[in-house]
Amino acid sequence: MPSELPENNGMKQEETSETEDMHTWIIGDDVINQAGKDQTQIHGGGKVLWDGVPGGRCADLVDRVKGLMQLHQLDAPTTIIIHVGTNDICSTPIWEIRQRVEENLTGLRALLPNTRLIWSNILLREAYPEEIDGAGKRCVRNINKFAHKICKEKLGENAYVIVHSGMLNGKPIHTYDYPQSSDFKFFRQNLSHALVHFNNKPNSKRFPPSAVCKARAMPKE
């Protein structure tokens, strides 16, 4: 199991009146579906809505956000965390994934010009058929780096990245089936610490600040 993050990690975790007024949507695939099964509230995000869809893909992002805005009658959330890409890598050429990532991230920015957009790195898993020759690892690294580039160059100042480097250095959160509940707790803590960090240091665009975009093969259970 990955070791748990410290409860405060050196950062203030209490919700303030400012964060209480925030609306954070966490949009993604089955990792988000499992991590947010009980609509768990996390520090730093204010009112948090988890929207995870098994099989969710990059191309679905804009339509899903439009649907949530209509359903909840909200003009725009304060923050959106995006965690997709695993299902695309399993079935789609890398050039097409990059195109989908760019179209949907820039589409979200056009739809939500004042919302903080956060890319949550795709997590590598050994289940990719291509992993025999290392293609899965290369794809994950390529797409994450490309998404970082889009965030930096095309989404403006209010765009951020969560690298999840602590998970990739230990036991995986994303396995062939489903991660253990403690893995999801670690994942939620990582999102929480990232939100608190970005709230406290809005000019810091990456969490952890010193993280490098790397992908390591994840061991099987």
Side-chain angles (χ1 to χ4, degrees), residues 45-220:
K47 298 176 179 127
V48 177
L49 172 69
W50 297 80
D51 185 66
V53 175
R57 297 173 183 268
C58 297
D60 305 332
L61 284 173
V62 173
D63 287 342
R64 284 175 62 185
V65 170
K66 286 180 178 178
L68 287 171
M69 290 171 66
Q70 183 176 10
L71 178 65
H72 295 280
Q73 298 182 337
L74 187 67
D75 290 336
T78 314
T79 299
I80 291 182
I81 298 176
I82 301 151
H83 187 88
V84 292
T86 294
N87 297 299
D88 297 86
I89 287 174
C90 290
S91 61
T92 308
I94 195 166
W95 65 266
E96 187 174 339
I97 302 172
R98 288 165 64 108
Q99 183 179 35
R100 290 178 181 179
V101 168
E102 181 171 1
E103 287 177 351
N104 279 268
L105 289 181
T106 55
L108 283 178
R109 175 51 76 222
L111 178 67
L112 305 168
N114 299 314
T115 293
R116 176 169 59 182
L117 301 181
I118 302 176
W119 174 266
S120 167
N121 262 13
I122 304 168
L123 300 175
L124 181 65
R125 63 179 182 179
E126 284 191 339
Y128 299 132
E130 303 89 345
E131 193 51 38
I132 294 173
D133 63 2
K137 185 188 299 187
R138 290 194 297 273
C139 286
V140 169
R141 182 183 299 151
N142 185 301
I143 297 304
N144 282 330
K145 285 187 174 181
F146 182 74
H148 296 187
K149 176 180 170 69
I150 296 300
C151 287
K152 181 178 180 180
E153 297 180 0
K154 298 196 173 184
L155 301 188
E157 288 297 312
N158 208 12
Y160 300 81
V161 168
I162 303 175
V163 177
H164 299 300
S165 56
M167 296 177 193
L168 297 180
N169 290 333
K171 184 182 174 182
I173 186 174
H174 203 327
T175 58
Y176 185 82
D177 273 324
Y178 297 115
Q180 300 298 317
S181 59
S182 59
D183 292 331
F184 286 122
K185 181 179 179 182
F186 185 91
F187 182 75
R188 288 191 296 266
Q189 286 177 337
N190 209 35
L191 296 184
S192 176
H193 293 323
L195 286 169
V196 172
H197 175 76
F198 295 145
N199 290 342
N200 291 341
K201 297 182 179 180
N203 292 327
S204 178
K205 303 301 182 182
R206 179 178 297 213
F207 183 84
S210 60
V212 177
C213 179
K214 294 182 179 179
R216 299 188 179 186
M218 292 184 170
K220 293 180 179 179

